[in-house]
């Protein structure tokens, strides 16, 4: 991943970004207010580094936590829970199939970005884009429910400057 630019966010840009994130994820995002945020533009994505760590990324014009960001911030919204059998596949970047989903945030709409977590410890495994609504994911017997975008161990997870 080639870095095209790296700039520290200005205060007004940071405030607007934090308001958007707080409306989506709640108060957990408020802790970012006193941290140093930098925007790193790469070939495919723009990453937001929080104190030098890639905790957020910009995708399709939206800011969303990376897998590492979801893990470190302990986010509890837009979660999709998968069973033990799906962990190996999801961790390797596979799309998430409806039969492996045991629980999903009912507020998820088709096209939303979601955090995929495992059932036992609720640790984030991947970030994906919902291909159906939250309740449909749980009810469906077949089909792809989430398109995987980022996962544990991928290039965003391992990103370092």
């Amino acid at each position: 991943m080639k870095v095209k630019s790296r700039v520290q966010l200005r205060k007004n840009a940071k405030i607007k970004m934090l308001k958007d994130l707080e409306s989506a994820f709640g108060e957990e995002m408020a802790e970012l207010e006193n941290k140093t945020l930098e925007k790193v533009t790469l070939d495919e994505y723009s990453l937001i580094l929080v104190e030098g760590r890639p905790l957020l990324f910009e995708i399709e014009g939206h800011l969303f936590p990376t897998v590492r960001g979801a893990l470190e911030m302990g986010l509890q919204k837009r979660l999709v829970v998968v069973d033990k059998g799906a962990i190996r596949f999801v961790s390797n970047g596979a799309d998430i199939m409806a039969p492996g989903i045991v629980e999903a945030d009912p507020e998820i709409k088709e096209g939303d970005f979601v955090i995929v977590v495992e059932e036992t410890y609720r640790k984030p495994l991947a970030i994906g884009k919902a291909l159906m609504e939250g309740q449909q994911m749980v009810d469906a017997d077949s089909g792809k429910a989430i398109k995987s975008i980022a996962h544990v161990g991928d290039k965003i997870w391992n990103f370092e400057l």
Side-chain angles (χ1 to χ4, degrees):
M1 290 184 3
K2 187 172 172 271
V3 175
K4 291 182 176 180
S5 71
R6 179 180 179 177
V7 294
Q8 188 164 339
L9 288 181
R10 291 203 167 112
K11 190 173 183 177
N12 57 355
K14 183 175 165 180
I15 289 168
K16 182 191 178 311
M17 182 190 81
L18 290 175
K19 275 188 180 149
D20 292 345
L21 288 169
E22 277 186 49
S23 70
F25 291 101
E27 293 300 311
E28 289 95 338
M29 292 296 176
E31 69 186 48
L32 299 178
E33 202 169 326
N34 302 319
K35 310 251 188 206
T36 304
L37 301 183
E38 296 174 275
K39 183 173 185 172
V40 177
T41 307
L42 306 167
D43 295 327
E44 300 173 50
Y45 307 106
S46 287
L47 291 175
I48 303 293
L49 303 183
V50 179
E51 302 289 333
R53 297 184 325 275
L55 301 189
L56 301 164
F57 70 124
E58 197 171 349
I59 182 148
E60 296 178 16
H62 299 283
L63 266 179
F64 205 78
T66 59
V67 180
R68 186 179 301 279
L71 179 66
E72 288 189 24
M73 292 185 266
L75 301 175
Q76 297 302 312
K77 288 189 175 179
R78 293 209 192 169
L79 296 184
V80 176
V81 183
V82 295
D83 62 22
K84 290 182 181 112
I87 294 173
R88 181 173 49 130
F89 301 105
V90 174
S91 297
N92 286 321
D95 291 339
I96 295 83
M97 306 303 279
I101 296 173
V102 293
E103 192 181 318
D105 186 338
E107 293 180 21
I108 294 170
K109 293 176 183 31
E110 187 176 337
D112 282 353
F113 294 103
V114 297
I115 302 167
V116 181
V117 299
E118 50 82 30
E119 191 175 19
T120 311
Y121 301 105
R122 288 177 131 34
K123 297 285 184 206
L125 300 171
I127 302 298
K129 187 171 185 177
L131 301 176
M132 54 179 70
E133 292 182 8
Q135 193 55 50
Q136 277 182 292
M137 291 179 193
V138 179
D139 297 339
D141 293 332
S142 64
K144 218 180 264 192
I146 300 167
K147 169 95 179 98
S148 184
I149 295 170
H151 59 277
V152 171
D154 70 359
K155 56 191 172 189
I156 295 174
W157 175 267
N158 293 317
F159 179 80
E160 287 180 17
L161 286 171

